Amino acid sequence: MELAEAKLKFIEAWGKLGSEWGINRTMAQVHALLLVSPEALTTEEVMAELSISRGNANMTLRDLIDWGLVEKQHKTGERKEYFYAEKDTWIIARRVAEERKKRELDPVIKILGQLTEVKGDKKDPAFKAFHSSVTDISRLANNVNKTLDTMLKAEENWFFGSIFKIFK
Amino acid sequence: MELAEAKLKFIEAWGKLGSEWGINRTMAQVHALLLVSPEALTTEEVMAELSISRGNANMTLRDLIDWGLVEKQHKTGERKEYFYAEKDTWIIARRVAEERKKRELDPVIKILGQLTEVKGDKKDPAFKAFHSSVTDISRLANNVNKTLDTMLKAEENWFFGSIFKIFK
DNA sequence: ATAACCTTTCATTTATTTTTGAAAGTTTAA
DNA sequence: TTAAACTTTCAAAAATAAATGAAAGGTTAT
């Protein structure tokens, strides 16, 4: 397999994985393209490489910047904007975890906390089932949350290293 | 807040979280409904509670069974099928992790492994960027994979307990 | 055998998400 | 100020995903 083909395979696989996890396929593909590009690319280049429209490229790049995965660069003497992807995989993982925690996990943890407090007839099986399921899920969600907080602060080697040490 | 309202809130929140993570909203809602039901429910009851069609209810319940989150029950003397959700949150988390690992992570790890092997000109910046990004992502994916394997075998207390012990 | 009862399928319809591209907006240089 | 170069917006179109419901498929009891 040659580089050009391998690049396409990578972009395709990254896009597929993203879409399976609720991330816009194009956004994941643009990210993949930038990840394997040694140099920052222009909007035009992204449009051409992936055959997408200007509007789509612009919005997608902005989203990637919002996620903290891509940064704008300016070259002296040029007006065009260039886009460059963070290449450190562990930083990428942390940024994604951070963003999704904030957008999705935190809100649901808040709601679960409220639902945990709902009072009802302790003799009613419907209430008992509700209360115990919600309490259990709430506890698990909080554990996941704490683990993510740890991960956000940790170095990769420390994080996985320590996990593997215990569970070997 | 009373039970009926709380149940609706829970179903809504679970459905939203699911859809953000690439899981069909209705599937997550049916799961939520069954989770807070002390008794197994019939297709008719699921249809009525969530105002969904017979076909949708049937397919969604089948999917939940495929995921290992719901089981069919039969009551003696009755022909109707009843559906009951696994209530142990840790088992639920493990089943979801197991299923998604199998469906999504394993395939992508395989592709990354192949892309890692792609040969090219070591002087070419494009090749260097491709190779190092793919290698790094591949390594991270394999670490996540190993951690999931550990989780699949572990008890909840052991898993989180050990993580918190190190990172406290 | 057949009728009642229940489950499954799948061609259509409906809803949701994503993309397009032309127009509007902005910045820079002369 | 003007015009060229570049970026952003967003209403409309296209693509994708999900839901419907009537018909077909199975089972069981008589």
Side-chain angles (χ1 to χ4, degrees):
Chain A
M1 199 181 341
E2 47 167 330
L3 184 57
E5 190 193 344
K7 255 167 112 163
L8 288 180
K9 270 234 167 76
F10 177 64
I11 290 169
E12 189 193 323
W14 210 234
K16 181 147 179 283
L17 186 66
S19 72
E20 287 165 340
W21 285 80
I23 284 163
N24 184 303
R25 169 187 267 94
T26 302
M27 176 167 154
Q29 288 181 335
V30 171
H31 185 225
L33 172 64
L34 293 178
L35 267 180
V36 297
S37 299
E39 305 289 342
L41 301 184
T42 63
T43 302
E44 300 286 339
E45 288 168 320
V46 171
M47 288 166 60
E49 290 268 351
L50 301 177
S51 307
I52 61 175
S53 71
R54 184 173 303 285
N56 197 5
N58 181 271
M59 284 183 141
T60 297
L61 287 166
R62 192 213 290 144
D63 283 347
L64 284 167
I65 290 170
D66 289 345
W67 278 71
L69 299 175
V70 164
E71 61 170 32
K72 270 189 194 173
Q73 287 184 348
H74 293 274
K75 301 204 175 178
T76 43
E78 285 201 53
R79 272 178 61 190
K80 271 200 289 277
E81 295 178 329
Y82 287 77
F83 298 92
Y84 184 78
E86 167 63 52
K87 298 290 200 296
D88 182 323
T89 318
W90 181 243
I91 292 179
I92 294 169
R94 288 203 319 220
R95 292 265 162 82
V96 171
E98 186 173 17
E99 225 28 63
R100 299 204 75 155
K101 171 172 142 50
K102 191 165 64 192
R103 297 179 192 206
E104 296 145 20
L105 190 59
D106 287 352
V108 96
I109 281 180
K110 195 176 159 202
I111 292 174
L112 287 171
Q114 290 164 3
L115 296 179
T116 290
E117 297 303 322
V118 171
K119 302 299 177 205
D121 176 4
K122 282 171 189 129
K123 297 280 179 355
D124 176 12
F127 174 73
K128 284 200 301 193
F130 175 83
H131 188 261
S132 82
S133 280
V134 168
T135 304
D136 287 355
I137 290 173
S138 182
R139 197 170 48 227
L140 180 68
N142 277 291
N143 279 343
V144 171
N145 203 28
K146 274 194 274 176
T147 304
L148 284 177
D149 282 341
T150 302
M151 170 184 163
L152 291 180
K153 283 181 249 149
E155 291 300 315
E156 181 175 12
N157 288 340
W158 186 46
F159 189 76
F160 283 115
S162 300
I163 286 180
F164 297 154
K165 215 173 289 165
I166 323 169
F167 298 118
K168 70 153 180 285
Chain B
M1 203 183 332
E2 47 167 329
L3 184 56
E5 190 193 344
K7 256 167 109 164
L8 288 180
K9 270 233 167 77
F10 178 65
I11 290 169
E12 189 193 323
W14 210 233
K16 180 149 180 283
L17 187 66
S19 72
E20 288 166 340
W21 285 79
I23 284 163
N24 183 302
R25 169 187 269 94
T26 302
M27 177 168 154
Q29 288 181 336
V30 170
H31 185 223
L33 173 64
L34 293 177
L35 266 181
V36 298
S37 298
E39 305 290 342
L41 302 183
T42 62
T43 302
E44 300 286 339
E45 287 169 322
V46 170
M47 288 165 62
E49 290 268 352
L50 300 178
S51 307
I52 62 174
S53 71
R54 185 172 302 285
N56 196 5
N58 180 270
M59 285 185 142
T60 297
L61 287 165
R62 192 214 287 144
D63 284 347
L64 284 167
I65 291 170
D66 289 345
W67 278 71
L69 299 174
V70 164
E71 62 170 31
K72 270 189 193 172
Q73 287 185 347
H74 293 275
K75 301 206 172 174
T76 44
E78 286 201 54
R79 275 177 58 189
K80 271 201 291 276
E81 295 178 329
Y82 287 78
F83 298 91
Y84 185 78
E86 167 64 52
K87 298 291 202 294
D88 182 322
T89 316
W90 182 242
I91 292 179
I92 295 169
R94 288 204 317 221
R95 293 265 162 81
V96 172
E98 186 174 16
E99 233 15 73
R100 300 204 76 156
K101 171 171 142 51
K102 191 166 65 193
R103 296 179 192 206
E104 296 145 19
L105 190 59
D106 288 350
V108 97
I109 282 180
K110 195 177 158 201
I111 293 174
L112 287 171
Q114 290 164 3
L115 297 179
T116 289
E117 297 304 321
V118 170
K119 302 298 175 205
D121 176 4
K122 282 171 189 129
K123 296 278 178 358
D124 176 12
F127 174 73
K128 284 199 301 194
F130 175 83
H131 187 261
S132 84
S133 280
V134 168
T135 304
D136 287 355
I137 291 174
S138 182
R139 196 170 49 228
L140 180 68
N142 277 291
N143 279 343
V144 171
N145 203 28
K146 276 195 271 176
T147 303
L148 283 177
D149 282 342
T150 302
M151 171 184 162
L152 291 179
K153 285 182 246 147
E155 291 300 315
E156 180 174 11
N157 286 341
W158 187 46
F159 189 77
F160 284 115
S162 300
I163 285 180
F164 296 154
K165 215 173 289 166
I166 321 170
F167 298 118
K168 70 154 179 283

